[in-house]
Amino acid sequence: MVGLLFIIIASPFFADSKNIVYSQAFDFSQLDSIDISLNWENLVISQIYGEEISVEIGCNNLKRIPDVSADGGVFRIKSKPQKFTRGTLCTVYLYIPQDFNPQTIKINNASGNIQADTLRAQNSVAIGNVSGRTDIASCTTEFYNVTSVSGNTTLQKINSEYFNFSSTSGNIFAELSAGPLASSGITNISGKSQLYVPKGAALNLALFSISGSINNNVTTPSNPDAPQITITSVSGKIEIQQF
């Protein structure tokens, strides 16, 4: 009797927790950009092998899932206008083929989390998040722009010619794979700003804070022609490290 009771209780933990209610694949050969605009849904982006962009949406309310389309060269995911989302759980799973290299990737979210293992675009990657977390494990592009209001931002393996990261009260963690080729910056009002740069990277640092502490552990070669990274804060901490 005890063994039977254990099986009944434990079995839900092995069930599919994604609750997929939408699944669709799109040929990317005629697409040149990605545009995602969400209000409250979580977004998870993964890189895959294959020739199609795939989307899965897990939700407990089919009527409230975002609209998905691919036309005019743009792949879009957009939240539907709705008055209430309380009690609704929704996660968008986007699978991008590794051979797909769009011109631009644009992602906006209001309160949901954004997570990606790899983002790649020829011209720009732009991410805006209001209160949700943003976690990008790797990004390769020309211009990398990430903004947040109160959500924390973690950006790893950054390979971009120049970048701009900003937040009002959320923490920013940024790790460069290489130094930028043009002037770049991080702006934060009260959140902590952490920047990790490779040893020997050609760059100049300009650090400013009104009341927050500054901890600079980076030694860079003297090169007045190297691009400048400017980090500014009002009351948040600034920390620079080498690796």
Side-chain angles (χ1 to χ4, degrees):
M1 186 67 180
V2 175
L4 178 60
L5 179 62
F6 174 78
I7 293 174
I8 294 175
I9 294 175
S11 60
F13 290 95
F14 296 94
D16 183 7
S17 60
K18 288 185 176 182
N19 191 28
I20 301 300
V21 296
Y22 174 95
S23 181
Q24 186 68 40
F26 300 83
D27 182 1
F28 69 77
S29 62
Q30 302 300 316
L31 300 174
D32 55 25
S33 64
I34 294 176
D35 190 342
I36 301 174
S37 180
L38 301 176
N39 291 329
W40 54 277
E41 303 90 342
N42 294 322
L43 174 65
V44 179
I45 301 176
S46 303
Q47 189 177 74
I48 59 170
Y49 295 101
E51 298 180 352
E52 294 180 318
I53 295 177
S54 299
V55 183
E56 293 181 341
I57 301 178
C59 192
N60 59 359
N61 190 327
L62 180 60
K63 294 181 180 180
R64 295 183 176 177
I65 67 172
D67 292 322
V68 182
S69 63
D71 56 75
V74 182
F75 176 81
R76 291 185 176 90
I77 303 176
K78 186 176 182 179
S79 293
K80 295 176 181 176
Q82 40 199 298
K83 296 180 180 179
F84 304 102
T85 58
R86 181 176 296 179
T88 305
L89 302 175
C90 189
T91 300
V92 177
Y93 302 92
L94 176 61
Y95 304 95
I96 302 177
Q98 64 172 5
D99 292 334
F100 180 46
N101 190 17
Q103 296 289 329
T104 61
I105 295 176
K106 184 179 180 181
I107 303 171
N108 285 297
N109 207 335
S111 60
N113 298 326
I114 299 171
Q115 177 185 334
D117 56 15
T118 301
L119 293 179
R120 185 178 62 164
Q122 298 176 47
N123 295 336
S124 65
V125 172
I127 301 173
N129 205 342
V130 178
S131 60
R133 283 190 57 89
T134 299
D135 296 282
I136 311 299
S138 174
C139 181
T140 300
T141 190
E142 181 178 349
F143 176 49
Y144 196 12
N145 181 43
V146 182
T147 63
S148 172
V149 176
S150 60
N152 292 335
T153 301
T154 299
L155 309 171
Q156 298 173 280
K157 295 182 180 179
I158 299 166
N159 186 4
S160 62
E161 294 188 14
Y162 61 111
F163 60 83
N164 182 59
F165 308 140
S166 65
S167 181
T168 300
S169 59
N171 297 329
I172 297 175
F173 173 92
E175 175 195 88
L176 303 182
S177 294
L181 301 180
S183 296
S184 303
I186 299 175
T187 303
N188 207 334
I189 295 179
S190 60
K192 183 178 181 180
S193 299
Q194 290 178 282
L195 177 65
Y196 280 69
V197 302
K199 290 182 178 179
L203 53 87
N204 293 306
L205 292 171
L207 312 176
F208 305 97
S209 182
I210 295 176
S211 60
S213 62
I214 297 177
N215 183 13
N216 183 9
N217 295 309
V218 172
T219 301
T220 59
S222 178
N223 184 354
D225 296 325
Q228 178 170 288
I229 297 178
T230 302
I231 304 178
T232 62
S233 174
V234 176
S235 59
K237 296 180 180 179
I238 296 175
E239 181 179 310
I240 317 295
Q241 300 283 350
Q242 284 181 319
F243 66 95

